[in-house]
Amino acid sequence: MEKWLIYVTFTKKFLLTSVENSKIKDKNMLTDRLNCIINYVNCEVAADIGTDHAYVSTELIRLGRVKRVIASDVRQGPLDAAIANIKKNGMENEIETRLGSGLSVLKPYEADECIIAGMGGELICEILKADTETAHSMKLLLQPMNAQYEVRKYLIENGFKILKEDIVCEGERVYNVIITKSGEGEPFEKEIDWHIPPYLKEHPLYEKLLNKKKREFTKIVKGLEESKNCDVEKLTYYKELLKETDGE
């Protein structure tokens, strides 16, 4: 009898440890980039567009930063992975999954805040453009992988104001997180500011962002100069931007 008791106790501890380790493993899937976004979320209902494995959605519930999440993806495969992760964490009542493109899965005012992360900047603009009423009905937390210039332009020119912008690094990679909502945003004074907003100058990671943009501009200039059919106007534009960054 004592042997069975010891065995059952050991097995229970082993199973509990395995579950905890599994949860820790899931938690470790959250990169600094995603954790940065999570830290800005605080509402009743959040939407996680392009949820993939629902790592962000489950962490929001775990931390108590939201009461409910609508997690969506345009593809069934990633959504199935999300559903499996949600079930593993026992969060089926808190996280609802939906299959669909962009904001089409939401009704206006259905969510208080919306995360759109890990996508190209131009795709993010297309998502917002496709469902403008829904986009204007909630706070947006955007993390474009590129084309941040285009995202800022779209927001300011289409009735959004940028509330805050953050910088986060993962190794040598530098990312921008843009928090925005419906409102009248002020255009930047200089062209370079659309690429490197002056309000980020006091950020501790500003130098990393500046150096990243310098590398981008240098690469574009070099490519244009080596091109047989060089776009002179474009070359002049990026040379000027590069000159502006050298003055920083």
Side-chain angles (χ1 to χ4, degrees), residues 36 40 164-168 175-179 199-200 203 205:
C36 179
Y40 284 107
K164 185 177 176 60
E165 189 164 345
D166 207 343
I167 306 170
V168 61
Y175 303 103
N176 293 75
V177 176
I178 302 170
I179 296 94
Y199 52 65
L200 289 174
H203 197 287
L205 297 175

Side-chain angles (χ1 to χ4, degrees), residues 47-214:
D48 182 13
I49 304 300
T51 189
D52 198 8
H53 285 68
Y55 293 131
V56 169
S57 297
T58 53
E59 185 69 358
L60 288 172
I61 295 296
R62 189 186 74 81
L63 293 174
R65 302 195 71 87
V66 300
K67 291 185 178 179
R68 194 165 72 89
V69 181
I70 300 167
S72 75
D73 208 285
V74 71
R75 294 178 298 154
Q76 188 65 55
L79 198 65
D80 288 341
I83 292 168
N85 189 32
I86 292 163
K87 286 182 178 178
K88 184 170 71 173
N89 283 277
M91 296 178 179
E92 299 98 317
N93 293 330
E94 291 87 3
I95 305 174
E96 177 187 350
T97 57
R98 297 179 185 178
L99 179 67
S101 176
L103 302 181
S104 67
V105 298
L106 299 172
K107 296 176 183 177
Y109 302 99
E110 190 175 11
D112 305 303
E113 299 180 5
C114 178
I115 300 164
I116 309 177
M119 302 181 195
E122 292 184 355
L123 176 57
I124 289 176
C125 292
E126 288 301 318
I127 287 172
L128 300 181
K129 195 183 300 182
D131 293 275
T132 54
E133 185 182 356
T134 303
H136 278 279
S137 71
M138 54 194 171
K139 184 190 288 186
L140 304 171
L141 296 94
L142 312 175
Q143 188 276 298
M145 300 297 279
N146 52 38
Q148 294 84 7
Y149 167 92
E150 284 80 0
V151 172
R152 295 186 192 103
K153 274 272 188 183
Y154 176 83
L155 292 173
I156 299 301
E157 293 176 357
N158 289 275
F160 292 92
K161 59 181 178 181
I162 296 173
L163 303 175
K164 185 177 176 60
E165 189 164 345
D166 207 343
I167 306 170
V168 61
C169 293
E170 291 177 4
E172 295 301 312
R173 296 189 176 186
V174 183
Y175 303 103
N176 293 75
V177 176
I178 302 170
I179 296 94
T180 181
K181 72 174 185 178
S182 184
E184 189 175 344
E186 290 189 17
F188 293 105
E189 291 183 8
K190 299 190 296 182
E191 186 65 16
I192 187 65
D193 295 343
W194 291 96
H195 293 272
I196 313 172
Y199 52 65
L200 289 174
K201 286 187 177 181
E202 301 302 317
H203 197 287
L205 297 175
Y206 175 75
E207 286 298 319
K208 287 187 176 290
L209 176 65
L210 179 62
N211 290 331
K212 172 194 173 184
K213 300 310 291 185
K214 283 182 179 181

Side-chain angles (χ1 to χ4, degrees), residues 230-243:
C230 177
D231 185 331
V232 178
E233 186 177 344
K234 188 175 181 180
L235 177 61
T236 303
Y237 174 79
Y238 279 100
K239 276 187 171 181
E240 186 60 33
L241 290 179
L242 192 55
K243 184 179 177 182

